[in-house]
Amino acid sequence: MSTDSEQTGTHPAEPHHDSLSARLNWLRAGVLGANDGIISTAGLVVGVAGATTDRMAILAAGVAGLVAGSLSMAGGEYVSVSTQRDTERAALRTEARELREMPEAEERELAGIYQAKGLSPELAAQVARELTEADALAAHADAELQIDPDNLTSPWQAAWASLIAFAVGALLPLTAIALPPVEWRVWTCVAAVIIGLVLTGTISARLGDARVGRAVLRNVLVGTLAMTVTYFVGVLFGVTVG
Ligand SMILES: [Zn+2]
């Protein structure tokens, strides 16, 4: 059976949908997904724009990148959350078996957890007894595993969330490069992407309690580096082929 502290480190309250930290986790994942969508699609469309002035070619590449990226993010998220949920279900099964086979030891263990959190031995024992009488499995799932058995993270929900987040991010460079006249395309896209990355960098730094300035600078540097590299690859390719 795993200890309280181990689990807190690896599962930052993610499955508790109703808690504030869980909502922040979802928001953080959404912002990171949008950030990925901005950077990878910007690199793609700026690269194609380096090779050709054909608006349809740029648009087609951008839309294909949006769809492929969203699906890949959704698939990755589905797999990772499914695995996490399998792990949580297995832990719940183990816990249920232990509760059947050694209920006294489990109640002592629960009391021990509350005592370690600062309750007096008498109060911890009383809390453990009352929680065990109410719903033993839910009490152990909460205290030991930090999971709510009735509210495990849904892989489909997580997949949809990352699909939408990536697509929203991807739409920014895509529209910024598709709408302006040919001579302004790349610069409009670069400007829009920098603004977008300042925004996502600021939000994710705030959510993670990190230094905003540095986080934003790093984020913008990564994005502009991606666009610069793909642009020159596109130019080289356009010169060689065209
Ligand atoms: Zn237990």
Side-chain angles (χ1 to χ4, degrees):
M1 185 175 334
S2 50
T3 65
D4 194 23
S5 56
E6 259 172 47
Q7 288 292 332
T8 337
T10 46
H11 292 111
E14 199 170 351
H16 287 268
H17 284 239
D18 45 353
S19 75
L20 179 64
S21 68
R23 248 176 280 161
L24 287 181
N25 275 348
W26 278 98
L27 186 56
R28 192 175 302 143
V31 174
L32 287 178
N35 202 72
D36 275 359
I38 295 174
I39 294 179
S40 74
T41 311
L44 188 60
V45 291
V46 167
V48 179
T52 176
T53 54
D54 182 352
R55 191 191 300 265
M56 276 316 291
I58 298 171
L59 252 179
V63 171
L66 182 155
V67 173
S70 309
L71 289 177
S72 134
M73 294 284 288
E77 196 61 16
Y78 181 85
V79 169
S80 114
V81 173
S82 297
T83 307
Q84 187 196 331
R85 199 169 63 164
D86 289 349
T87 310
E88 289 169 347
R89 282 189 173 148
L92 285 171
R93 273 197 302 275
T94 308
E95 202 57 50
R97 198 186 60 232
E98 287 168 350
L99 281 168
R100 267 196 318 276
E101 290 172 357
M102 39 179 184
E104 292 88 7
E106 284 293 303
E107 191 178 316
R108 274 199 304 279
E109 179 194 45
L110 195 57
I113 292 173
Y114 285 107
Q115 206 181 324
K117 286 187 187 209
L119 298 189
S120 68
E122 299 74 31
L123 185 55
Q126 193 191 341
V127 167
R129 189 166 55 252
E130 291 188 14
L131 286 176
T132 302
E133 279 162 14
D135 186 344
L137 184 60
H140 282 258
D142 178 55
E144 284 178 49
L145 312 167
Q146 287 82 46
I147 58 183
D148 177 355
D150 300 323
N151 213 353
L152 300 183
T153 311
S154 149
W156 282 107
Q157 201 182 351
W160 274 111
S162 7
L163 187 144
I164 292 165
F166 186 96
V168 167
L171 278 174
L172 178 75
L174 190 56
T175 47
I177 206 147
L179 296 180
V182 62
E183 63 273 26
W184 288 104
R185 261 177 210 163
V186 171
W187 289 114
T188 310
C189 184
V190 169
V193 164
I194 289 175
I195 293 168
L197 292 180
V198 168
L199 212 68
T200 52
T202 306
I203 299 171
S204 55
R206 286 257 156 93
L207 290 174
D209 278 331
R211 297 263 297 272
V212 172
R214 270 190 216 168
V216 167
L217 189 65
R218 269 198 293 265
N219 203 28
V220 169
L221 280 178
V222 168
T224 36
L225 182 68
M227 289 185 290
T228 312
V229 171
T230 57
Y231 181 74
F232 285 110
V233 169
V235 169
L236 281 177
F237 195 76
V239 170
T240 328
V241 175

